[in-house]
Amino acid sequence: MQTLTLDVLKPLTEWEQGPCVSIYIPRHQAVSELGQDSIELRNQLDEAETALQERGLGTAEARSFLKPARELQNDPVFWKQGAPQGLCLLMAPGLFHHFDLPYQCPKTLSVDDTLYISPLFYKAYEDDRFDLLAICPKSIRMIRHQNGDFQEIELPENIPSNLDEFAGGIEFEESLQFHTTSSGTPGGEFAGIQHGHGLTKEQNEKVLTDYYQLLARQLENYLENNTPPLVLVCAEKQQSLFRKHFQGSQLLPEGVATSPDQLSVRELIDLALPVVESKFQTSLQKAQEKFQKHMGTSRISHQLEEILQAAGQGRVEALFTPIGSELWGHLPQDGELLQTHTQQESGDIALLNWAIRNTCRHGGTPYVIQPDDMPDQHPVLASFRW
């Protein structure tokens, strides 16, 4: 399931080669009802085919346009997979996107000159990706979490899979596992040191030090600067030793101080989530606070006509609208009053979708959120850069 970040969505806001077909359907969660989703998609595609023909496409051309979606509709393997909360299909000349959504969205069909993408911005500002690094003498595991899902990541061969591999396979002194000192070999390379019950405490401590120093250096080289936040899960003294040598900016200052040896992937994720949840909420909270700070000034507006104009000019810093909300109408020309409709009429465009697209295109942040999270009770709110 692809994480719908603002970076992923921005190219879609800039797509203007029509016709564009956008389809959203909520997915059934009961196994006995999964077959209804395929039927619903077929009905939406039938309507889209008619709408494309009304826009001048021939029957064969309209069917060819929708062929990738029809193949998905008729794929029994796809529908037997565990159902996400929602499904989105975006189609245009030379473009086909299929997004599984981890949230419910209203059923929507749009056939227009631009893509209807406002539901995709729901919590896009959060970007809930993070990596989890679980270290103990017996194993090293890296797990990536995104969109509520998670999977283990295979680490490169230059990272030893456990302490025995690094130290030559001799049994490690269990009573000394958590005592460490600092040392390294010349030239920046590390060598495994044979160790066991016959070695001194200091020698065993040096093996541990070299081991975690090697892990820190190799993982720092492996992880790119733009990787998601990293949560470290290991015993308290191992936390200290690893952090001493790891310089990557993605490592969060707070970790989980426990031995991960006997914990499942699900248990590790559950331990890490409280560490990163506050980071996910920061963007919206800051935007809400800034909105409240400027209440009553010209930097704040709930007037759709003013917001549309500002979005087109690149002045919208933050746009707030509830998920599933839309208003239809024409962009007002000079001296013309804006008239909106709750249902699409001939020639109408989706005005909130237009505002969202243009806010994102100019570097602002659209916050498509739950109604209770709106800073004020209006269908759309904006704070301006100036």
Side-chain angles (χ1 to χ4, degrees):
M1 188 180 296
Q2 184 175 6
T3 301
L4 295 173
T5 64
L6 296 177
D7 288 340
V8 171
L9 295 176
K10 189 171 183 180
L12 300 179
T13 70
E14 298 167 348
W15 188 276
E16 293 184 343
Q17 183 182 355
C20 299
V21 175
S22 309
I23 294 175
Y24 297 82
I25 60 172
R27 294 290 305 273
H28 290 84
Q29 299 303 297
V31 175
S32 60
E33 298 177 328
L34 292 182
Q36 297 181 35
D37 296 338
S38 175
I39 296 172
E40 182 58 53
L41 179 57
R42 182 192 66 195
N43 294 338
Q44 294 280 64
L45 291 172
D46 289 346
E47 290 185 37
E49 186 175 324
T50 299
L52 288 171
Q53 292 175 12
E54 291 173 350
R55 292 174 67 93
L57 273 67
T59 301
E61 190 178 6
R63 289 178 179 174
S64 176
F65 187 99
L66 298 173
K67 183 179 178 181
R70 291 291 190 188
E71 291 175 350
L72 194 68
Q73 173 219 321
N74 294 315
D75 182 358
V77 176
F78 172 75
W79 298 108
K80 287 179 181 177
Q81 297 171 354
Q85 295 288 316
L87 173 67
C88 166
L89 301 182
L90 301 179
M91 290 159 277
L95 178 143
F96 176 75
H97 282 300
H98 148 231
F99 296 113
D100 290 321
L101 305 178
Y103 51 86
Q104 290 277 326
C105 58
K107 181 175 71 174
T108 304
L109 169 64
S110 171
V111 181
D112 209 332
D113 295 326
T114 58
L115 297 167
Y116 189 81
I117 55 177
S118 63
L120 298 182
F121 281 85
Y122 179 62
K123 293 190 176 182
Y125 58 88
E126 287 189 355
D127 188 3
D128 71 348
R129 295 174 301 165
F130 69 87
D131 287 342
L132 182 153
L133 181 63
I135 304 176
C136 66
K138 295 181 180 179
S139 67
I140 303 169
R141 288 180 286 172
M142 179 166 281
I143 302 156
R144 176 153 295 172
H145 174 280
Q146 59 182 23
N147 266 3
D149 200 4
F150 49 85
Q151 62 178 2
E152 289 203 47
I153 298 174
E154 185 175 352
L155 294 172
E157 293 181 356
N158 64 354
I159 298 177
S161 59
N162 54 57
L163 180 56
D164 281 345
E165 179 183 320
F166 170 76
I170 296 178
E171 182 182 359
F172 188 66
E173 181 67 66
E174 293 290 336
S175 64
L176 302 178
Q177 281 186 8
F178 305 113
H179 300 282
T180 58
T181 59
S182 178
S183 179
T185 60
E189 298 296 328
F190 295 87
I193 299 176
Q194 298 295 320
H195 64 287
H197 296 287
L199 297 182
T200 66
K201 175 179 177 179
E202 288 73 19
Q203 289 173 317
N204 278 289
E205 288 175 341
K206 184 179 186 300
V207 173
L208 273 177
T209 297
D210 289 352
Y211 175 58
Y212 285 106
Q213 188 173 359
L214 173 64
L215 289 183
R217 288 192 180 180
Q218 300 291 53
L219 284 165
E220 188 177 332
N221 291 333
Y222 169 65
L223 295 172
E224 299 176 357
N225 289 331
N226 61 351
T227 53
L230 178 64
V231 180
L232 180 62
V233 181
C234 60
E236 185 174 351
K237 290 192 175 181
Q238 293 170 317
Q239 289 261 350
S240 175
L241 184 58
F242 183 85
R243 290 176 184 278
K244 177 180 178 181
H245 299 291
F246 187 87
Q247 303 300 317
S249 60
Q250 58 271 80
L251 183 62
L252 295 180
E254 181 184 356
V256 179
T258 187
S259 173
D261 188 24
Q262 302 297 323
L263 299 177
S264 68
V265 173
R266 176 74 265 180
E267 290 171 327
L268 289 169
I269 291 292
D270 288 343
L271 287 173
L273 280 172
V275 176
V276 292
E277 277 178 349
S278 60
K279 184 176 180 67
F280 297 157
Q281 296 298 327
T282 300
S283 175
L284 176 59
Q285 289 175 347
K286 285 184 177 179
Q288 291 169 327
E289 290 170 2
K290 198 166 188 178
F291 183 94
Q292 298 296 336
K293 178 181 178 181
H294 294 292
M295 282 283 284
T297 73
S298 59
R299 295 277 300 276
I300 298 298
S301 179
H302 61 81
Q303 299 295 332
L304 180 57
E305 185 170 356
E306 183 181 17
I307 291 171
L308 292 172
Q309 183 181 38
Q313 296 169 343
R315 292 195 296 116
V316 176
E317 182 177 49
L319 183 77
F320 304 89
T321 188
I323 185 170
S325 178
E326 189 55 81
L327 292 170
W328 303 87
H330 300 269
L331 291 174
Q333 303 300 316
D334 291 341
E336 189 178 20
L337 293 177
L338 176 66
Q339 295 184 350
T340 62
H341 314 122
T342 56
Q343 299 293 327
Q344 186 175 15
E345 298 184 6
S346 177
D348 282 354
I349 67 167
L351 296 172
L352 298 186
N353 185 67
W354 190 94
I356 287 169
R357 288 178 56 247
N358 282 276
T359 294
C360 184
R361 289 173 69 177
H362 291 98
T365 303
Y367 293 94
V368 179
I369 51 184
Q370 290 293 330
D372 290 346
D373 290 327
M374 291 289 288
D376 204 354
Q377 298 305 307
H378 293 280
V380 60
L381 299 163
S383 60
F384 303 142
R385 291 190 171 101
W386 69 89

